[in-house]
Amino acid sequence: LETLPEESLKENLVTVNQALPPEKDVVLLINTLKKLAADTGVSLGKLELSPGAISTPVAAGKNGGPKEGALNFRLKITGTLEGIKTFAAKIGTTKPLLGLKSLNLNLKEGEGLGADLELDFYYQPLPAFLGKISDPLPAFTAAERQTLEEIAKMPFYGGGIPAEGQIPQGKTDPFRL
């Protein structure tokens, strides 16, 4: 770790955590969907999800180890055909990472054009064990570096993860003006 530049490590950590949150963050998911909808001009309707265990040992894999996963959910949206197409296209190109499993268009009198979507919200718990301190970290492969660069370019629609230096800090002496 001492040989790696600290600034790039911090940037990489923020990028990875924005793309794959370490837990099933339902608030992050809802914020992402609201911002995507506002950006594409569609209206959010019904959201169906069953997150199960969120951030307890049960949410992790066996023996408390990390368990990667996807939170499956269903969403109803309404809007123009162009707005729905743009919403669906942006799903795979934003952080946090979402996957579109299915999309069904429907036209109902008085309601306009709607779509029923089945999506996955991806997350990756932090590892419980990193190995020995004396063991060297494996270097990124060229493909891994390229993937990280592509993810870093994706817009982050979740909000809530402040950038370095934007974290609010209190006074060190509360009695001093």
Side-chain angles (χ1 to χ4, degrees):
L1 282 176
E2 291 176 355
T3 61
L4 300 172
E6 186 175 344
E7 192 60 36
S8 68
L9 285 175
K10 286 181 182 178
E11 289 173 10
N12 291 347
L13 179 63
V14 168
T15 298
V16 170
N17 281 337
Q18 286 178 342
L20 288 172
E23 58 192 25
K24 298 178 200 175
D25 192 339
V26 176
V27 174
L28 176 64
L29 170 62
I30 292 170
N31 285 340
T32 301
L33 295 173
K34 285 171 56 177
K35 289 180 182 179
L36 263 172
D39 198 33
T40 58
V42 301
S43 297
L44 295 178
K46 186 176 181 182
L47 172 66
E48 296 177 20
L49 66 118
S50 297
I54 304 248
S55 62
T56 63
V58 176
K62 291 182 181 176
N63 302 323
K67 176 185 168 192
E68 63 183 74
L71 174 61
N72 184 266
F73 64 99
R74 296 183 195 289
L75 176 67
K76 292 182 184 281
I77 60 173
T78 56
T80 65
L81 178 59
E82 194 60 38
I84 292 172
K85 284 171 46 178
T86 305
F87 184 90
K90 285 193 172 198
I91 283 173
T93 61
T94 61
K95 296 181 287 195
L97 297 176
L98 300 170
L100 179 62
K101 293 178 85 173
S102 69
L103 183 145
N104 295 312
L105 292 174
N106 51 60
L107 184 60
K108 294 183 180 172
E109 194 171 321
E111 293 182 24
L113 185 61
D116 298 324
L117 296 92
E118 184 178 357
L119 301 130
D120 282 329
F121 171 73
Y122 298 105
Y123 64 96
Q124 173 65 53
L126 297 173
F129 180 72
L130 297 174
K132 296 179 185 176
I133 294 174
S134 59
D135 291 346
L137 292 175
F140 281 129
T141 65
E144 290 170 335
R145 271 194 306 277
Q146 181 180 357
T147 301
L148 188 60
E149 289 171 7
E150 289 173 11
I151 291 171
K153 292 177 187 174
M154 292 178 173
F156 180 58
Y157 278 93
I161 297 179
E164 183 74 23
Q166 294 181 339
I167 299 172
Q169 298 188 5
K171 296 181 181 180
T172 56
D173 183 356
F175 300 105
R176 193 169 181 213
L177 294 173

